[in-house]
């Protein structure tokens, strides 16, 4: 079995992980009032984000107001610059990936805030994390690896899938817009991982080796990775539902031209503000999600619409033959981390999907970042609801951008934020 290309690191003080951390025990300056958040979605109320004194660096040197369900609280639990995806380990620690630093951090609950240590370092843009029992799967930019996890340490790794494309791939010339990958383990022992597209409408990804803009599957027990779903521009959200099905939340394309007959046909106009929506889809073997030739059609209510720039005559792909996606988010929502909860949270959030909605640049006015919830009923997901909001004020300025949300063993929700450099604890009443 091959060893790590990197070395595991020993414990590191939490303050050393935060570039802007104040000295332990130092009191923060009194917070400056912030601009009010945008109007609260139905059922949410404003709360002041709690911040321990030694974690009160920017943006928490200003009092921040979030929107949560009535009776819930929100606090800064850890400061982790550029925190991305997260998973709970069997020993009750929260593992957080930091691809910008090549690290995976281990956050251990110790009262109102976490104690942090570096679990692994010098990885190649580690992003997705998943457990199957004691086996930890890590999605690096160029490979998927697995290792045994015990007592806060990882053993030697085995490579599950190698030679994945990233910016160092010879045929990509140093450019790769979606090199970060996600991974989940299915209940049957298969391993699923995402390979994002190299760009916005880079159709050559579909015929590359291995094909990009896909979800790949490694069979139980190992073996060659094979394409499981195609036309998935950037399926960063990847999770297993309570019934064992695999789901993805997809970042669809930007700068889309208007495909409707009329004077604006084929032009980039205000149509781009709300098109195409982001897809939330159940993945089955061979499923096609259309990109870059077809996109979910919110105007017609279901199905897909042709891309006027890449598939004007329909010869590239028959969009009418594609089954509708199960749910959507607003265009340019940029869903990232996705996870399922099944009985951990109180009603009406007991069973469903949590999605970190990062929001992107390609909309005016900008859509607000949030943590979304999709309820689970009869084997499918209901419409999008906002679980946590308030990261953007009325003028469109943002102080935070959620990446991933995972329910903890204590019945709270833990949210990573790569813009604020934080991990939040959002707790229902009494937790």
């Amino acid at each position: 079995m091959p060893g790590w290309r990197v070395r595991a690191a020993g414990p590191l003080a939490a303050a050393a992980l935060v570039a802007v951390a104040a000295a332990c025990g130092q009191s923060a300056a009194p917070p400056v009032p912030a601009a009010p958040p945008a109007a609260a979605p139905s059922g949410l109320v404003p709360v002041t984000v709690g911040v321990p004194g030694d974690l009160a660096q920017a943006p928490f040197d200003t009092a921040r107001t979030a929107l949560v369900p009535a009776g819930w609280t929100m606090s800064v639990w850890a400061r982790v610059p550029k925190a991305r995806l997260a998973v709970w380990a069997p020993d009750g620690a929260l593992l957080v990936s930091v691809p910008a630093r090549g690290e995976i951090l281990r956050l251990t609950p110790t009262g109102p805030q976490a104690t942090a240590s570096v679990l692994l370092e010098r990885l190649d843009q580690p992003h997705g994390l998943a457990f199957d029992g004691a086996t930890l799967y890590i999605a690096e930019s160029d490979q998927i690896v697995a290792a045994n996890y015990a007592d806060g340490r990882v053993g030697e790794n085995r490579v599950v899938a190698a030679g994945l494309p990233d910016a160092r791939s010879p045929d990509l010339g140093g450019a790769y817009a979606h090199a970060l990958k996600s991974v989940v383990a299915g209940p049957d022992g298969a391993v699923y991982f995402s390979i994002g597209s190299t760009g916005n409408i880079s159709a050559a990804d579909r015929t590359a080796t291995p094909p990009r803009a896909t979800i790949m599957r490694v069979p139980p027990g190992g073996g060659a990775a094979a394409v499981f779903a195609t036309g998935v521009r950037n399926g960063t959200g990847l999770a297993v539902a309570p019934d064992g099905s695999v789901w993805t939340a997809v970042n669809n394309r930007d700068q889309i031209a208007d495909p409707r007959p009329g004077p604006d046909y084929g032009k980039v106009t205000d149509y781009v503000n709300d098109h195409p929506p982001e897809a939330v889809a159940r993945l089955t073997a061979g499923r096609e999600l259309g990109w870059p030739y077809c996109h979910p059609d919110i105007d017609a209510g279901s199905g897909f619409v042709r891309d006027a720039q890449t598939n004007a005559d329909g010869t590239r792909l028959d969009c009418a033959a594609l089954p509708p996606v199960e749910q959507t988010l607003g265009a340019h929502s940029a869903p990232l981390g996705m996870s399922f909860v099944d009985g951990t949270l109180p009603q009406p959030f007991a069973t469903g999907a949590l999605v970190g909605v990062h929001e992107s640049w390609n909309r005016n006015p900008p859509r607000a970042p949030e943590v979304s919830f999709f309820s689970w009923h009869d084997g499918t997901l209901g419409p999008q609801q906002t679980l946590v909001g308030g990261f953007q004020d009325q003028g469109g300025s943002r102080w935070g951008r959620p990446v991933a949300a995972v329910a903890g063993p204590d019945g709270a929700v833990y949210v990573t934020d790569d813009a604020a450099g934080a991990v939040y604890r959002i707790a229902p009443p009494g937790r």
Side-chain angles (χ1 to χ4, degrees):
M1 180 183 296
W4 289 96
R5 297 179 301 184
V6 301
R7 64 179 176 86
L12 192 67
L17 298 175
V18 186
V20 294
C24 261
Q26 250 185 346
S27 297
V32 178
S42 176
L44 301 187
V45 297
V47 297
T48 299
V49 178
V51 187
D54 57 339
L55 302 183
Q57 301 81 37
F60 303 106
D61 52 349
T62 294
R64 299 298 175 182
T65 300
L67 302 170
V68 299
W72 290 47
T73 60
M74 179 170 169
S75 61
V76 176
W77 189 64
R79 298 304 302 272
V80 179
K82 300 184 179 179
R84 292 289 287 188
L85 299 189
V87 68
W88 286 97
D91 62 358
L94 183 67
L95 306 187
V96 176
S97 66
V98 187
R101 296 207 307 265
E103 295 177 348
I104 297 170
L105 304 186
R106 182 175 181 267
L107 305 182
T108 306
T110 51
Q113 63 190 80
T115 298
S117 61
V118 177
L119 179 69
L120 291 168
E121 62 181 359
R122 302 179 196 166
L123 300 173
D124 288 324
Q125 298 184 87
H127 195 233
L129 304 169
F131 273 97
D132 183 8
T135 301
L136 171 63
Y137 291 94
I138 302 170
E140 297 184 74
S141 63
D142 64 339
Q143 65 178 359
I144 309 297
V145 297
N148 185 67
Y149 176 96
D151 300 323
R153 297 181 179 276
V154 290
E156 289 195 2
N157 74 324
R158 60 181 174 86
V159 176
V160 176
L164 306 183
D166 64 9
R168 296 167 299 180
S169 300
D171 58 326
L172 296 180
Y176 199 150
H178 304 125
L180 300 183
K181 296 170 176 65
S182 297
V183 63
V184 293
D188 62 350
V191 177
Y192 301 83
F193 62 92
S194 63
I195 300 181
S197 70
T198 56
N200 188 33
I201 50 173
S202 43
D205 289 336
R206 295 179 63 105
T207 55
T209 303
R212 301 181 285 266
T214 59
I215 304 297
M216 306 290 287
R217 179 181 185 270
V218 177
V227 174
F228 190 68
T230 52
V232 187
R233 179 176 175 268
N234 189 22
T236 297
L238 195 59
V240 176
D243 67 352
S245 57
V246 180
W247 288 69
T248 188
V250 184
N251 286 236
N252 276 324
R253 66 161 293 184
D254 298 319
Q255 295 298 89
I256 193 170
D258 194 333
R260 300 170 296 187
D264 289 333
Y265 177 82
K267 299 177 182 177
V268 177
T269 65
D270 286 347
Y271 176 86
V272 76
N273 258 1
D274 296 307
H275 301 84
E278 317 284 42
V280 180
R282 178 197 297 269
L283 298 177
T284 54
R287 181 153 196 191
E288 170 64 63
L289 291 183
W291 176 90
Y293 303 127
C294 308
H295 308 287
D297 186 6
I298 55 172
D299 297 329
S302 64
F304 283 74
V305 64
R306 292 178 192 167
D307 189 302
Q309 293 162 294
T310 64
N311 191 29
D313 60 3
T315 57
R316 291 287 190 175
L317 188 62
D318 183 0
C319 303
L322 303 182
V325 296
E326 283 69 16
Q327 285 297 342
T328 60
L329 301 96
H332 319 299
S333 291
L336 296 180
M338 183 179 189
S339 67
F340 278 87
V341 293
D342 191 9
T344 308
L345 304 179
Q347 295 291 355
F349 308 108
T351 307
L354 298 169
V355 178
V357 177
H358 203 237
E359 303 304 345
S360 61
W361 59 274
N362 192 23
R363 193 177 193 277
N364 187 24
R367 203 180 296 279
E370 66 172 59
V371 176
S372 294
F373 177 79
F374 296 82
S375 61
W376 177 260
H377 297 287
D378 301 323
T380 194
L381 291 174
Q384 178 186 14
Q385 306 171 59
T386 303
L387 177 65
V388 186
F391 298 95
Q392 178 171 295
D393 67 25
Q394 294 170 349
S397 177
R398 300 166 178 162
W399 57 265
R401 301 182 75 185
V403 177
V406 291
D410 58 350
V413 176
Y414 291 77
V415 178
T416 59
D417 183 330
D418 63 351
V423 179
Y424 310 112
R425 183 180 187 268
I426 296 97
R431 301 188 187 178

